[in-house]
Amino acid sequence: YYGGQNDIVICAFATAAVYCLMDGRNKWFYFLAGMAISVKYFFFIPYVAIILLLEKRVLRIIYKIVLGIIPRNILACYKGLSNG
């Protein structure tokens, strides 16, 4: 069981995600943002703001927001399988 200070983990993932976005590596941005969101939900608010700034089409916005949530669901399924 891990119950420590994980604020530094989200800072690392979020900083790396924003760096990849500015560098033009969008796939890495989505992956790292999803990992940051899976550590703590705090990064979800800036993630949605960044998506709304970058994209103007509604279906693409929904797709990209769901893309950031997918790693959270994968990790939750893995934790559920390992505990049961």
Side-chain angles (χ1 to χ4, degrees), residues 28-41:
W28 277 104
F29 165 71
Y30 296 123
F31 176 74
L32 292 169
M35 295 305 291
I37 293 169
S38 69
V39 173
K40 269 192 172 179
Y41 290 127

Side-chain angles (χ1 to χ4, degrees), residues 23-68:
D23 200 30
R25 297 181 286 177
N26 291 340
K27 291 181 182 180
W28 277 104
F29 165 71
Y30 296 123
F31 176 74
L32 292 169
M35 295 305 291
I37 293 169
S38 69
V39 173
K40 269 192 172 179
Y41 290 127
F42 172 76
F43 191 66
F44 186 70
I45 295 169
Y47 175 74
V48 171
I50 290 170
I51 296 300
L52 290 174
L53 283 172
L54 294 177
E55 190 63 53
K56 301 302 178 207
R57 292 177 278 178
V58 175
L59 291 177
R60 291 280 225 163
I61 291 170
I62 294 170
Y63 170 74
K64 290 179 180 182
I65 289 174
V66 169
L67 197 64

